[in-house]
Amino acid sequence: METPLHDQLEAAARDSRPTLIVGAGIAGTTLAQLLRGAGQHPVLIERSAGRHPGYMLALMPMTDAAFSDLGVTEAYHSRSVPISRYRVRSRTGTILRTDPIDEILSQYGDYRGISRGDLLDILTTDHAPVTTGTTVSALRDEPDADSAATVTLRQGEQETEASFAVVIIADGIGSTTRRLLDTPTTDVDTGWGGWVVWAPADDQMDLGEELWGTDFLLATYPVKDAVGVFLGGNRDDTAAGPEAFVARVRRQVPSPGPRMNAALEAILADPDPYFWPLTDVRAARWTTGRTVLLGDAAAGFLPTAGIGAGMAMESAWVLARLLRHHESNDGGPPLPALLTSFEARQRPRVEAAQDNSRQLARLMFRRSRIWAVVRDLVARRVSVATALGPIRKLLADLPSVTPPSTNSPTTTNSPTAER
């Protein structure tokens, strides 16, 4: 709900710990709504003036706790579809294998397909103030426990200065706010990119399907009433445009199967398909005094393991639990120590998932006929359960939250749930 910045700042001033969340994407919105559910009034700002129509997401079970705390699990189920099978096709279009992915992941919780737009709608079903067209133009932060972070908020030519007890930077993989902190980052540029469009729903809406060509990837994932499509390749090749690239794919694979045919038609039918350069980013640190990075601003994922959005929601849930406990317990550690504790417990999990995505990218994003033959042989013999081994380890050890003690704020022990 679009809300004037002044109204948000006025509401936040009544909190004992005024909070700013920069970025109203999945991580920022999840955190804002979890804090609001606890009676707080975080200021949520977003640089975009309108919502991007979105793309497809496959959410793994690490999101279930956030949906539960928000009270939107039923809405999530009604606006998504269960993904129970995963199929991979070879460079010639033949089916290499179809795995029952629900049997692999159901022991941990739900694995469902949803559009990004539907997910944001679900997260904002309750009172969800946001001020769009707003950025951070200056940020001064000190680690002293008695200080506050001073932020300059810009709307067009107008600037407003405000102080916050904590600032959460969640404005995406290309975060402009992160740059104000001079936080070191590293990135992986695969050299690939591709178009994302929607195809009509079909009669296999529980199936995720991918076709790995010699120099392209065609992937489809179901959501409610539609199939999300990604067609990508080396950016030197995709520069020719979607029509030429689709023709290239069809020359290589004349019979890719009915869904893949529909996917290629959807690419051609879209007058302005969204192009996604396949890069990621990793921040060397998440916290600076009273400021913390979250979601893609901390670690932006390649889509290869389908886990980036899930890890963003998980991190938002962990941070919300810590901040909510801090709000209700005056004798806890100082906020900078609490944020450091959050990084110490969550960053290793996020980076382990990101490492898995990077490893899969090295297998998938290549231009080589010989490598494609080898990859087909490997894919025929190696199940998705094996490929997702590192992710399954994360799911088997989902985080619960015990806030750090005052005496040892950065120590992460085997936690028990704080309910």
Side-chain angles (χ1 to χ4, degrees):
M1 179 179 68
E2 182 66 32
T3 303
L5 179 60
H6 176 269
D7 291 356
Q8 286 210 75
L9 292 173
E10 192 174 69
R14 298 194 293 268
D15 290 349
S16 62
R17 190 202 60 228
T19 300
L20 172 67
I21 302 174
V22 184
I26 293 168
T29 299
T30 300
L31 177 62
Q33 293 300 88
L34 287 168
L35 294 179
R36 287 165 178 162
Q40 299 170 41
H41 304 86
V43 175
L44 179 62
I45 64 169
E46 167 60 39
R47 65 172 173 256
S48 302
R51 177 179 295 178
H52 187 277
Y55 40 82
M56 59 284 189
L57 301 170
L59 293 185
M60 293 194 182
M62 68 275 297
T63 63
D64 291 353
F67 287 126
S68 178
D69 276 10
L70 290 168
V72 296
T73 300
E74 185 176 341
Y76 169 49
H77 285 176
S78 70
R79 305 266 305 255
S80 62
V81 297
I83 301 176
S84 59
R85 295 178 298 146
Y86 168 77
R87 174 177 295 159
V88 59
R89 291 180 179 267
S90 73
R91 70 194 187 284
T92 62
T94 58
I95 296 174
L96 293 175
R97 61 183 303 129
T98 303
D99 288 324
I101 199 167
D102 56 341
E103 295 179 10
I104 299 166
L105 296 178
S106 62
Q107 60 181 303
Y108 309 112
D110 289 320
Y111 182 52
R112 306 182 71 87
I114 189 170
S115 73
R116 184 177 185 271
D118 278 349
L119 174 57
L120 288 172
D121 284 344
I122 290 165
L123 294 175
T124 56
T125 51
D126 291 332
H127 186 59
V130 61
T131 304
T132 59
T134 307
T135 59
V136 175
S137 59
L139 173 58
R140 298 189 301 278
D141 188 12
E142 298 292 340
D144 189 290
D146 296 326
S147 68
T150 303
V151 178
T152 303
L153 303 172
R154 173 172 292 190
Q155 296 178 293
E157 297 301 316
Q158 181 178 353
E159 291 191 333
T160 303
E161 188 172 279
S163 295
F164 297 93
V166 60
V167 176
I168 295 100
I169 298 174
D171 55 345
I173 191 169
S175 171
T176 56
T177 315
R178 181 182 61 218
R179 296 172 197 162
L180 298 175
L181 301 175
D182 196 27
T183 299
T185 61
T186 56
D187 63 77
V188 169
D189 185 347
T190 65
W192 280 43
W195 298 277
V196 181
V197 302
W198 297 107
D202 56 25
D203 59 356
Q204 299 192 74
M205 293 300 287
D206 67 328
L207 175 70
E209 186 172 17
E210 297 179 353
L211 192 162
W212 298 353
T214 58
D215 53 8
F216 70 88
L217 170 65
L218 179 58
T220 61
Y221 312 100
V223 302
K224 184 75 171 179
D225 300 327
V227 175
V229 176
F230 173 82
L231 174 63
N234 189 283
R235 293 199 291 272
D236 290 341
D237 298 332
T238 59
E243 188 171 322
F245 198 78
V246 167
R248 179 193 188 105
V249 170
R250 283 182 164 156
R251 285 194 297 270
Q252 291 186 37
V253 191
S255 301
R259 175 181 282 188
M260 295 308 187
N261 269 322
L264 293 173
E265 289 297 326
I267 295 284
L268 296 176
D270 193 311
D272 186 25
Y274 171 70
F275 188 83
W276 184 358
L278 295 182
T279 64
D280 75 6
V281 70
R282 174 178 291 185
R285 64 171 184 268
W286 288 12
T287 54
T288 305
R290 291 171 174 267
T291 302
V292 61
L293 303 179
L294 183 69
D296 284 353
F301 280 63
L302 297 168
T304 43
I307 198 172
M311 294 306 295
M313 288 187 68
E314 178 190 286
S315 294
W317 178 82
V318 171
L319 182 56
R321 281 293 181 103
L322 290 170
L323 291 174
R324 285 163 57 177
H325 187 276
H326 187 274
E327 180 79 5
S328 59
N329 291 271
D330 294 336
L335 267 169
L338 188 88
L339 298 181
T340 300
S341 169
F342 164 71
E343 178 179 358
R345 70 173 68 207
Q346 196 63 13
R347 186 155 69 99
R349 286 182 57 82
V350 171
E351 291 184 354
Q354 191 183 50
D355 285 342
N356 185 238
S357 294
R358 289 175 168 182
Q359 290 162 4
L360 292 172
R362 284 194 288 271
L363 295 175
M364 296 167 65
F365 302 141
R366 296 196 180 193
R367 279 195 301 179
S368 166
R369 183 175 298 277
I370 294 174
W371 176 250
V373 172
V374 173
R375 186 177 55 199
D376 285 352
L377 291 172
V378 172
R380 191 183 298 276
R381 290 167 173 77
V382 177
S383 71
V384 69
T386 301
L388 293 179
I391 303 302
R392 293 171 66 198
K393 290 180 180 178
L394 292 174
L395 293 172
D397 188 27
L398 291 174
S400 53
V401 178
T402 297
S405 68
T406 305
N407 295 328
S408 56
T410 61
T411 300
T412 304
N413 297 316
S414 178
T416 56
E418 175 260 310
R419 297 288 181 184

